[in-house]
Amino acid sequence: MMNARILLAAGVSLATLIPAVAHAQVEDIVVTARKEKETLQEVPISVAAFDQEVIARYDISDLEDIAKRTPNFTFSNNLGLYGGVPVIRGIGAPRTGSNASVGLFIDGVDTGNAGGISLQSFDVERIEVVRGPQSTQFGRGVLAGAINYVSRRPNLEKIEAEFGGEIAEYGMYRVESRVSGPVANGLAFSIAAQRRSFDGFYNDANTGDDMGNSDSTALIGGIRAQFGAEKQAELYVRLAYSDEHIGQPAWHQVATNTQTGTLASQRWYVGTLKGDPDQLGSNAADYGNIDLKYYRAAAHFTYDFGGATFSSISAYNRSSQKQDVDSDFTANPDLLSGSTLLGNFRSALDVDVEDFSQELRLQSSGSGPFKWLIGGYFRTEDYTSDDYSPTAAQGSSSVLAPTPNILTRDTKTYGVFGSLSYEITPGLTVSQELRYSEDKISETSQPRTAAVAGAFGATFRNWLPRTIVEWQATPDHMLYASLAKGNKPGGFNNAAGTGFSAVPDEYKAYGEEEMWSYEAGFKTAWFDRKLTFNASVFHLEWSDIQVNSQVQVNGYPVGITLNGGKARGTGAEMDLHFQPNPGWEVYGGLGYAPIRILDYVDSRVRNAGITTDGKDQLAGSPDWTGNAGVIRNIELEDVGTLFLQGDVSYRSTTYATEANLAETGSKTTVDVQVGLRRPGIRASLYVNNLFDDKAVQSARAYVNPTNYARSFIVQLPNRRQVGLRLSLKY
């Protein structure tokens, strides 16, 4: 573990080497949330955007950093694998392992999940967090919102070279570089690479091994070509590869503490869950842990006809995700008593996903009062899962099964979409968007114990409209209102997924989710645009929610998915940025999203003898989020611009289940940094989680696989960490 005093001394020494630069006022950011270029203050939807300057200023490197600075957006791995669960406006994925309700995109291309996306942050032009259903523009799986990484295209005019590095406590280091520039008239390239490693904040209390550690490599290449007599055509090809190894996560079990029913087995945890590093233990040293590989390729072509622009996006993604972890979250050894498992439990799963997508758009260009867009979309995805996990209570728990449970899924998605907008009077514009979406899903399930594979299939169809009315009262003041619908396709409960025999027929399929969103807001700038203040209010109606439940199969409790009731909520968010002069910058935001699930009682809760009122806070979703920060810039003659920065991030308590009894507690983190900059050079010394807030990151209900007793799993928080960052640009 690196000594903090060494880092402090290194930071002071580095700071003395850096000469001066004046700090320019932040300009309005351009976004493409509606598939066209609009400034952040002009687009009539709720968007948080981070361009290169803001990313550098806030030191954003992953989705957690974005969540700290975005009201009504939280991100946690939520004890899930392959990248984590984003939550926007209180809407996430109540079902463990479910497809997220927030879409994750790179240049408008669906990434499928959050895996590997944070490794792309060093090669982005902009990151956009779009709140509310975005189905008409982005398609499937954007029920709550979308996060779009806009990549940096190669520079056609000049050579660029960059280097970045970071070193911090707990064995954390990161190095990255990027080169871009022209190779001929109208032709340019870029290549970027990143390497980072982290020992994790915690160690196995029994073995001393690292927990929560990671090691990753990412490579990204780009080719950009402009051609035509007036450079009216452009082709941009982007290739990306990432390889990430993740160690056993820092999770542990917490036993129930309250008798909640008349039976001895009816127990629950009531109160705030606590994380204890002394409880961390696993047998992970003997396992492979988690390996993720992602291959991404996309070709973007545009042609400007003068009055209209044609766009094509062709994309191919392939991923390999291997999990081999200790999933009883203890260091218990193998121990069998007759046919009863008393000790270790291992989970091993190999997942391969391959997809291809094609989008075509034709849209108007120019500045007239009438704008239009039409387009089509196709995506095919092949998913294969091989589950080698030992069968619980039927043999040694650490020895992998010789044959896997096999699940294959083929998904074909079709979409046709369009939009019309008209400026009725100067400043008053009405827009109508509509998308027809169709998902054809077929699955084959081959449990290792079954001689015949099970087959499942369904088609989900939906019409997804959005209406927007906006009034640009003045160049600096805009009001808007919208009505939008979003969806998330359904799926199947299959035998391979449960690891046991097939579930009863009535539970084999679950349906599609739908959401209606009603929103109104304003965007304003004041005092010669030194102050921006934006706010919105919304009401959500969410139906047929995909939630966790349980059934008994061959005497064992098996987790399944059901469409459990509906949810409703009215909330708001606001953000402001004030820079009265180059010396001071103040910013902040506040989000409120009290989404309540109605008419649904989790069978796990009911089986524990707990009665709920059916109006409970969604699991993993906070009611309140907020952030505030200040930057003080001090010009030092012949030295540089010294900056002092402090950030506070707040998240109210979240619950492990809709029973609203076991909670994480609220979380407040304070990050500070001091640094110097000049053109092309930036260095900073930082302390994250200055006051070492110990509220757990996330929690969920859990069935102890060794005895089927109810317990809870908690993810321990990030500890206070001191580090140094350096970036050089040419």
Side-chain angles (χ1 to χ4, degrees):
M1 189 178 296
M2 184 171 296
N3 190 295
R5 286 177 292 181
I6 296 176
L7 285 170
L8 288 167
V12 172
S13 300
L14 182 61
T16 61
L17 302 177
I18 301 176
V21 65
H23 177 55
Q25 185 172 341
V26 178
E27 298 294 333
D28 203 2
I29 299 174
V30 173
V31 297
T32 53
R34 294 198 298 172
K35 307 292 187 181
E36 60 177 313
K37 291 184 177 180
E38 302 172 283
T39 69
L40 185 61
Q41 292 301 108
E42 291 174 337
V43 62
I45 52 180
S46 182
V47 183
F50 306 86
D51 65 6
Q52 287 184 62
E53 182 182 349
V54 175
I55 289 170
R57 189 161 68 248
Y58 297 164
D59 292 308
I60 292 172
S61 62
D62 56 31
L63 287 168
E64 285 193 50
D65 290 335
I66 298 171
K68 283 183 178 181
R69 294 161 178 84
T70 306
N72 278 339
F73 171 48
T74 58
F75 179 81
S76 171
N77 73 15
N78 199 29
L79 309 178
L81 300 174
Y82 317 140
V85 178
V87 176
I88 289 180
R89 290 181 172 175
I91 307 299
R95 179 174 69 93
T96 304
S98 169
N99 291 330
S101 298
V102 177
L104 292 155
F105 300 84
I106 298 175
D107 294 324
V109 176
D110 189 354
T111 66
N113 58 47
I117 194 169
S118 288
L119 303 182
Q120 312 287 324
S121 298
F122 73 102
D123 190 53
V124 298
E125 181 75 25
R126 184 175 63 256
I127 303 171
E128 302 173 4
V129 181
V130 193
R131 306 178 186 96
Q134 305 299 317
S135 298
T136 54
Q137 294 290 352
F138 288 96
R140 69 197 300 267
V142 286
L143 189 79
I147 301 169
N148 188 33
Y149 280 58
V150 180
S151 66
R152 299 174 62 182
R153 298 195 173 191
N155 194 318
L156 290 162
E157 305 297 329
K158 63 178 182 179
I159 295 289
E160 297 176 325
E162 303 174 20
F163 169 81
E166 180 177 4
I167 186 170
E169 293 180 284
Y170 303 103
M172 191 276 178
Y173 78 84
R174 170 178 57 89
V175 291
E176 58 196 29
S177 61
R178 183 178 186 272
V179 177
S180 170
V183 293
N185 182 31
L187 180 65
F189 79 100
S190 67
I191 186 167
Q194 183 194 75
R195 182 85 175 88
R196 68 182 183 184
S197 184
F198 178 46
D199 289 346
F201 289 109
Y202 298 94
N203 297 96
D204 189 308
N206 298 290
T207 67
D209 293 337
D210 294 333
M211 299 194 75
N213 54 305
S214 63
D215 188 86
S216 64
T217 300
L219 298 171
I220 301 173
I223 300 173
R224 182 183 180 188
Q226 288 184 343
F227 42 91
E230 300 180 358
K231 306 293 186 184
Q232 68 269 34
E234 178 168 308
L235 175 66
Y236 169 49
V237 177
R238 184 178 188 270
L239 305 173
Y241 165 77
S242 65
D243 184 350
E244 187 171 13
H245 176 78
I246 303 171
Q248 179 79 15
W251 311 334
H252 69 75
Q253 287 193 49
V254 176
T256 58
N257 63 1
T258 304
Q259 186 75 32
T260 52
T262 58
L263 302 178
S265 61
Q266 293 181 315
R267 295 182 58 83
W268 208 258
Y269 190 95
V270 179
T272 301
L273 293 155
K274 303 294 184 182
D276 182 358
D278 291 338
Q279 298 299 313
L280 290 174
S282 73
N283 301 293
D286 300 323
Y287 303 160
N289 296 311
I290 303 168
D291 286 301
L292 309 175
K293 287 184 174 65
Y294 292 90
Y295 306 84
R296 307 188 193 280
H300 301 257
F301 175 76
T302 59
Y303 190 93
D304 188 352
F305 291 99
T309 300
F310 170 77
S311 302
S312 169
I313 303 175
S314 306
Y316 171 80
N317 298 302
R318 181 162 63 90
S319 67
S320 171
Q321 308 165 346
K322 297 183 183 299
Q323 166 195 320
D324 183 10
V325 297
D326 180 344
S327 55
D328 63 21
F329 309 104
T330 72
N332 291 334
D334 288 343
L335 183 61
L336 289 172
S337 176
S339 62
T340 302
L341 174 65
L342 302 176
N344 179 29
F345 190 77
R346 184 177 185 180
S347 175
L349 187 70
D350 293 352
V351 176
D352 291 295
V353 185
E354 188 174 36
D355 73 73
F356 170 79
S357 63
Q358 176 65 57
E359 179 175 291
L360 301 174
R361 297 195 312 269
L362 184 66
Q363 62 193 103
S364 60
S365 57
S367 57
F370 182 71
K371 296 181 180 180
W372 53 269
L373 178 151
I374 57 172
Y377 179 79
F378 170 74
R379 183 176 187 267
T380 180
E381 177 185 278
D382 294 319
Y383 173 101
T384 302
S385 167
D386 293 341
D387 186 353
Y388 291 91
S389 303
T391 302
Q394 296 176 8
S396 175
S397 65
S398 67
V399 178
L400 298 182
T403 58
N405 295 319
I406 301 173
L407 170 67
T408 61
R409 180 189 306 125
D410 176 67
T411 303
K412 288 183 170 56
T413 301
Y414 305 86
V416 179
F417 56 93
S419 68
L420 296 171
S421 68
Y422 185 70
E423 188 174 17
I424 300 172
T425 62
L428 179 63
T429 302
V430 176
S431 302
Q432 180 62 57
E433 303 170 354
L434 182 64
R435 187 184 195 100
Y436 171 75
S437 179
E438 181 174 293
D439 292 279
K440 294 183 177 180
I441 304 175
S442 59
E443 285 187 1
T444 300
S445 170
Q446 179 64 69
R448 65 173 69 104
T449 58
V452 179
F456 310 84
T459 299
F460 303 95
R461 301 180 177 89
N462 221 317
W463 290 93
L464 304 165
R466 179 165 69 175
T467 304
I468 302 175
V469 179
E470 59 182 294
W471 178 41
Q472 194 74 47
T474 74
D476 291 334
H477 301 85
M478 187 259 285
L479 302 173
Y480 70 90
S482 67
L483 168 65
K485 182 183 180 184
N487 76 315
K488 183 167 72 174
F492 310 99
N493 295 305
N494 53 73
T498 65
F500 295 92
S501 301
V503 299
D505 289 345
E506 63 267 31
Y507 297 121
K508 284 185 176 178
Y510 55 90
E512 189 173 50
E513 294 181 358
E514 291 187 350
M515 176 183 290
W516 282 97
S517 171
Y518 308 82
E519 180 177 333
F522 61 79
K523 298 191 174 184
T524 62
W526 308 85
F527 310 123
D528 195 26
R529 302 184 73 81
K530 292 182 174 64
L531 169 67
T532 59
F533 178 55
N534 303 332
S536 61
V537 296
F538 57 87
H539 177 76
L540 305 179
E541 296 280 350
W542 186 13
S543 59
D544 295 322
I545 304 171
Q546 298 164 10
V547 295
N548 293 314
S549 191
Q550 280 185 350
V551 294
Q552 293 289 319
V553 178
N554 291 344
Y556 299 108
V558 174
I560 63 170
T561 298
L562 296 176
N563 294 102
K566 56 187 177 182
R568 179 183 303 131
T570 300
E573 63 240 349
M574 56 78 65
D575 61 81
L576 65 85
H577 181 275
F578 183 43
Q579 189 169 8
N581 56 59
W584 287 94
E585 187 174 342
V586 180
Y587 49 89
L590 183 66
Y592 179 54
I595 310 303
R596 298 293 180 261
I597 190 165
L598 310 173
D599 304 326
Y600 163 69
V601 178
D602 189 332
S603 62
R604 300 171 300 180
V605 176
R606 183 175 58 247
N607 293 341
I610 298 171
T611 301
T612 62
D613 62 5
K615 299 178 181 179
D616 300 303
Q617 187 173 329
L618 287 165
S621 300
D623 279 357
W624 290 94
T625 52
N627 70 286
V630 61
I631 301 175
R632 176 71 171 108
N633 299 295
I634 303 172
E635 297 294 337
L636 303 176
E637 187 175 356
D638 298 326
V639 176
T641 301
L642 172 71
F643 62 90
L644 309 170
Q645 182 171 344
D647 288 280
V648 181
S649 176
Y650 173 78
R651 181 215 70 195
S652 64
T653 194
T654 66
Y655 291 97
T657 73
E658 281 71 26
N660 286 187
L661 296 175
E663 59 183 301
T664 62
S666 63
K667 189 171 189 63
T668 302
T669 57
V670 177
D671 302 337
V672 297
Q673 63 173 312
V674 57
L676 280 150
R677 63 176 175 268
R678 62 161 296 164
I681 302 177
R682 177 187 174 94
S684 63
L685 169 68
Y686 67 85
V687 183
N688 288 337
N689 195 10
L690 177 65
F691 299 109
D692 205 18
D693 184 277
K694 290 183 169 56
V696 299
Q697 294 286 97
S698 59
R700 68 173 170 88
Y702 184 70
V703 175
N704 189 322
T706 65
N707 57 15
Y708 302 110
R710 171 61 55 204
S711 67
F712 291 79
I713 300 297
V714 297
Q715 178 194 359
L716 271 64
N718 296 347
R719 284 175 158 163
R720 177 171 51 232
Q721 184 181 35
V722 181
L724 280 170
R725 298 187 183 99
L726 171 67
S727 65
L728 306 172
K729 293 185 179 182
Y730 168 76

